[in-house]
Amino acid sequence: ALSGWLRVAATVTGGDQSKRALAEELGPHVTLIKVRKAHRVRAPAYALVRDDRTRSVALVVHGSSALDRDVFNDMAAPRAAFFGGFANAEMLDAARSVLDDVRPSLEAALDKHDDHTL
């Protein structure tokens, strides 16, 4: 299952596989609900996927592509208050961007398939 989600992430982040080929490879039980393929600062690429075999909805978000550079960026980034602690303000903005964009589709998928979990 993990390798399937890694293929989703690779497709979302510019892999050679088309969305149709990926859907065929993952099987008829998997539906790509929404994809944001363009990856920009504070607006990462993602895929929202429904898996009927596991009765789940998964949000796969593009992660870091240059660990060495990202470590330094993370150390220098401004902080933002978050759940009683602090978070990287830029990463928090990116997470909120994904949530704002995907929320209607995510809520609709979970409402329509109320036996599925996130």
Side-chain angles (χ1 to χ4, degrees), residues 12-118:
V12 167
T13 60
D16 293 334
Q17 240 177 344
S18 72
K19 285 188 259 184
R20 171 179 263 166
L22 176 67
E24 288 174 6
E25 183 177 339
L26 291 175
H29 60 280
V30 175
T31 302
L32 293 171
I33 299 170
K34 183 170 183 157
V35 174
R36 177 163 71 186
K37 196 165 177 96
H39 181 72
R40 299 179 315 279
V41 174
R42 297 190 184 120
Y46 68 81
L48 183 62
V49 182
R50 188 184 80 240
D51 185 333
D52 292 329
R53 183 169 41 195
T54 62
R55 285 189 256 148
S56 60
V57 175
L59 178 61
V60 182
V61 181
H62 177 278
S64 177
S65 59
L67 184 59
D68 56 342
R69 184 179 65 224
D70 288 342
V71 168
F72 291 110
N73 288 341
D74 192 37
M75 290 189 311
R79 299 183 323 163
F82 186 71
F83 284 100
F86 294 94
N88 176 317
E90 293 170 351
M91 292 178 96
L92 190 54
D93 286 347
R96 287 179 174 145
S97 163
V98 169
L99 183 58
D100 289 345
D101 194 52
V102 78
R103 182 187 308 263
S105 299
L106 176 60
E107 289 175 348
L110 291 172
D111 285 345
K112 183 175 181 182
H113 304 276
D114 60 359
D115 61 334
H116 286 47
T117 60
L118 182 62

